Amino acid sequence: QVQLVESGGGLVQAGGSLRLSCVASGGGFAVYGMGWYRQTPGKLRELVAVITATGSTNYADSVKGRFTISRDNAKNTVYLQMNSLKPDDTAVYYCNADVFLILQNSRSAYWGQGTQVTVSS
């Protein structure tokens, strides 16, 4: 079974920085794309940034130039460096991974439990 565990959320003042991490653990899998999404109460979960296994990235317009997604394939880990944070960035951030399960010969999407990011003005 694959598990995604996020860390790095917290409370920060506007203009500050945070770095989120997400590790995919378990056995018998390979990770393709990974990404970060966020959600606030009453709103749909929205894409923040995604990265392919080969390092191609895509960002939401609202975070371009402020957030950077990266990954360490050897550690099955994805990071989100968030700079120049704004109160509008306040949300629960979720890690997502597109995973190939080797024994099952199938592909599935997995989600982390979420980590709260709060930006005070």
Side-chain angles (χ1 to χ4, degrees):
Q1 185 69 306
V2 179
Q3 285 190 318
L4 301 182
V5 179
E6 301 122 333
S7 60
L11 172 64
V12 65
Q13 288 189 331
S17 298
L18 283 174
R19 189 190 194 210
L20 305 182
S21 300
C22 172
V23 180
S25 63
F29 65 90
V31 181
Y32 294 130
M34 301 185 82
W36 291 94
Y37 293 72
R38 66 188 181 187
Q39 189 170 21
T40 55
K43 293 188 177 181
L44 295 174
R45 193 171 295 185
E46 64 176 6
L47 180 147
V48 176
V50 292
I51 184 167
T52 68
T54 55
S56 297
T57 59
N58 192 32
Y59 296 90
D61 288 343
S62 60
V63 307
K64 282 180 181 176
R66 300 187 298 122
F67 291 10
T68 301
I69 189 170
S70 61
R71 64 188 287 171
D72 184 335
N73 289 335
K75 298 180 179 179
N76 289 323
T77 301
V78 64
Y79 306 96
L80 185 67
Q81 178 66 45
M82 304 185 293
N83 298 329
S84 301
L85 282 160
K86 305 174 181 180
D88 283 349
D89 295 318
T90 295
V92 177
Y93 283 71
Y94 296 91
C95 173
N96 171 269
D98 180 15
V99 175
F100 178 73
L101 303 173
I102 297 171
L103 286 180
Q104 293 86 341
N105 194 31
S106 66
R107 197 161 169 171
S108 295
Y110 288 85
W111 292 91
Q113 80 285 356
T115 185
Q116 177 71 45
V117 171
T118 303
V119 184
S120 63
S121 58

